[in-house]
Amino acid sequence: MSESQEWCSKLNIWVTGAGSGIGAALVRLLVEEGHYVIISGRRREPLLTLQKAAPKRIRVLACDVGQDDSIAEAGATLREITDQLDMVIACAGTCEYDDGLTLDIKSYRRVFDANFFGVVNTLRESLPLLSNSRKPVFVAVSSLSSVVGFPRAEAYGASKAAVDYFMQALRADTANVCLRTVLVRPGFIDTPLTQENDFDMPFLMTAEQAAKRILIGLKSNASVIDFPKRLSWPLRLLGTLSPVWFNLIAPRMTRIRTLRKV
Ligand SMILES: NC(=O)c1ccc[n+]([C@@H]2O[C@H](COP(=O)([O-])OP(=O)(O)OC[C@H]3O[C@@H](n4cnc5c(N)ncnc54)[C@H](OP(=O)(O)O)[C@@H]3O)[C@@H](O)[C@H]2O)c1
């Protein structure tokens, strides 16, 4: 069966980070196509609002993907709701910038709990259900910020780089079994996550545009979905020409002028 034929059948999908932004836009597209979607996020209210788009095809499962107790409880509920997941989209994420190189460990842990451990937890809880699908797909939403080191993004970018590596290792580890892994790396998307950013965001896209790009990639054989190309290509090139990035561009972007004295 081809990928597009596969999409003709109705899939059981779990989407985390579904209450707003990219996750919510993706859920709307998926239910429009007739799929059954379980939606997660910490706050129940936005999930209940989204459920109204297709009450018979959307189930709400509020949880914190970065908290051991919460995700374990969600996993148990998930197994009561269904015995099979065809696709899991780990989209939950948060961003905290490190202004002035504070190296505040609590902030770093919050970011890693949601962005990195959230992905690991989501896979662990869903893997037994994915293994009951004929063509299971595990998707993790990272970021183009993982391609090069951005000023103030020490925590956020590192958590997304960890996701990139995790997904590569997972792809290698599952090379002989039937699990498709997909790494999604968006550029700047207009969502609650970026609405407080006080810097220029080149090639800003809407959440709906981002969701459409992701869906097109999922329907193809892609294992990495980077977009928009007009941002991903220059960033990848800059990644290989790191002296240009670190000597010419980064000095104009960083806000740090002196190091704190002890
Ligand atoms: N916007 C961008 O420019 C951009 C670019 C690259 C990558 N991304 C990534 O895309 C993903 C979606 O972000 P977005 O831009 O759509 O932002 P968003 O609108 O803030 O969505 C993030 C969602 O994740 C949920 N969430 C956060 N922490 C969670 C946790 N610990 N457990 C469960 N749910 C949690 C939030 O809901 P609750 O607060 O209710 O939990 C929220 O609905 C994130 O992984 C983000 O890093 C975004």
Side-chain angles (χ1 to χ4, degrees):
M1 199 185 284
S2 73
E3 292 294 329
S4 50
Q5 277 173 318
E6 190 73 21
W7 277 82
C8 292
S9 53
K10 301 307 168 208
L11 304 176
N12 278 347
I13 304 173
W14 181 28
V15 181
T16 72
S20 58
I22 301 169
L26 254 175
V27 171
R28 280 190 215 98
L29 288 185
L30 293 170
V31 292
E32 265 171 33
E33 297 205 349
H35 302 298
Y36 295 89
V37 189
I38 301 165
I39 57 173
S40 293
R42 288 165 302 179
R43 291 164 301 139
R44 186 175 290 277
E45 301 72 37
L47 301 174
L48 291 172
T49 306
L50 180 59
Q51 190 187 31
K52 289 180 187 149
K56 290 193 180 143
R57 271 179 281 119
I58 297 181
R59 293 284 296 259
V60 169
L61 177 60
C63 70
D64 186 330
V65 295
Q67 294 298 319
D68 296 350
D69 295 353
S70 178
I71 190 75
E73 200 180 309
T77 311
L78 206 55
R79 290 184 284 279
E80 282 168 19
I81 296 175
T82 183
D83 55 10
Q84 177 182 317
L85 284 171
D86 303 297
M87 181 178 290
V88 172
I89 304 178
C91 186
T94 190
C95 179
E96 294 184 31
Y97 289 115
D98 188 346
D99 277 313
L101 213 52
T102 61
L103 304 173
D104 171 7
I105 207 67
K106 286 189 179 149
S107 166
Y108 279 63
R109 288 215 165 101
R110 277 194 300 272
V111 171
F112 267 76
D113 277 347
N115 294 3
F116 177 66
F117 293 110
V119 172
V120 181
N121 286 337
T122 302
L123 177 62
R124 189 187 54 253
E125 296 304 327
S126 59
L127 204 48
L129 297 173
L130 282 168
S131 66
N132 288 337
S133 172
R134 217 171 48 77
K135 289 189 92 178
V137 186
F138 182 73
V139 185
V141 180
S142 171
S143 163
L144 281 180
S145 68
S146 65
V147 177
V148 287
F150 278 87
R152 302 201 297 151
E154 284 86 353
Y156 180 74
S159 72
K160 293 301 190 181
V163 171
D164 289 11
Y165 191 92
F166 176 77
M167 290 300 284
Q168 281 190 45
L170 179 67
R171 189 178 169 193
D173 241 345
T174 55
N176 290 329
V177 297
C178 163
L179 176 71
R180 178 180 167 209
T181 62
V182 184
L183 177 68
V184 176
R185 297 192 300 185
F188 293 109
I189 317 297
D190 187 9
T191 69
L193 192 89
T194 50
Q195 270 152 15
E196 288 185 10
N197 282 354
D198 59 353
F199 53 85
D200 282 343
M201 293 184 277
F203 314 120
L204 186 69
M205 297 169 70
T206 65
E208 289 68 31
Q209 288 170 324
K212 279 186 193 149
R213 292 286 182 96
I214 295 170
L215 205 55
I216 290 168
L218 291 177
K219 287 181 180 179
S220 73
N221 277 323
S223 48
V224 179
I225 304 172
D226 283 353
F227 61 90
K229 292 279 175 259
R230 54 194 190 278
L231 184 62
S232 67
W233 282 106
L235 283 180
R236 274 197 241 158
L237 186 66
L238 283 167
T240 56
L241 301 173
S242 56
V244 177
W245 177 255
F246 290 111
N247 296 332
L248 293 179
I249 301 174
R252 293 170 200 212
M253 291 173 73
T254 178
R255 299 173 188 188
I256 295 179
R257 296 287 172 251
T258 57
L259 285 181
R260 272 180 297 139
K261 294 199 194 313
V262 235

